[in-house]
Each structure stands twice: as structure tokens, then as C-alpha cells.
Amino acid sequence: MININISDFKKNINSFINQTVKYNQPVSINTKLGNVVLLSEEDFNNINATIELSNNTEMKNKIIEGLNTPVSECIPENKVEW
């Protein structure tokens, strides 16, 4: 994460926005009132999806079960039916 003060951010706003979008590089912007984090829309959506999955008990338990399943017990990728 890049840390920068608001004055420097204002001087190079286009560069920081482009870097955030292109490389998913968050920017922490320090101001007198507090800090702000600039995220790409992709990162923002991924964070929200993670929160939604974490709040869904059934899905969370399925993920944990999957993580605890040995690879030898998993279905081969070419046999998965979507």
C-alpha cells in the first residue's frame, strides 16, 4: 500500500488513480481529519464478496470443509460438472 499526504495526492491524482486501477495498488491518503484509502473497483467488489461469504454461515462452513478435505478425496477438475 502506498502512503501519501493529501497535498502530494492532489498533485499526482491521475497517476495514483491509474496505478490503483491498473495494478490494484491501494493508496492510503493522510489528511488532517483522518485517513482515506483509495481502492480499485475490483478490490472493493472482492472485499464485499468476501464479507458476504463470511456472513453466510452455510457457505462459510462449506468453504472450511473444502479447505479441510485432502486433495486425494477431491474430484478431478476435468470431472467437475458445472
Side-chain angles (χ1 to χ4, degrees):
M1 179 181 300
I2 296 171
N3 291 301
I4 191 160
N5 65 48
I6 188 70
S7 298
D8 290 337
F9 178 76
K10 287 179 188 178
K11 292 176 192 173
N12 299 297
I13 189 168
N14 287 335
S15 173
F16 286 112
I17 289 173
N18 291 338
Q19 187 170 349
T20 299
V21 170
K22 188 172 182 178
Y23 302 110
N24 290 333
Q25 178 67 56
V27 179
S28 176
I29 306 160
N30 308 311
T31 75
K32 291 179 183 176
L33 296 176
N35 299 335
V36 173
V37 176
L38 175 69
L39 296 173
S40 68
E41 182 179 24
E42 180 181 359
D43 280 348
F44 178 78
N45 290 336
N46 289 340
I47 290 168
N48 279 334
T50 301
I51 291 169
E52 286 179 28
L53 288 173
S54 296
N55 286 332
N56 181 323
T57 305
E58 184 178 339
M59 185 59 71
K60 186 165 107 176
N61 290 337
K62 286 182 180 182
I63 292 169
I64 292 169
E65 179 184 337
L67 289 170
N68 292 326
T69 302
V71 174
S72 61
E73 294 179 21
C74 294
I75 299 170
E77 183 179 358
N78 62 349
K79 301 224 178 187
V80 174
E81 294 183 25
W82 296 96

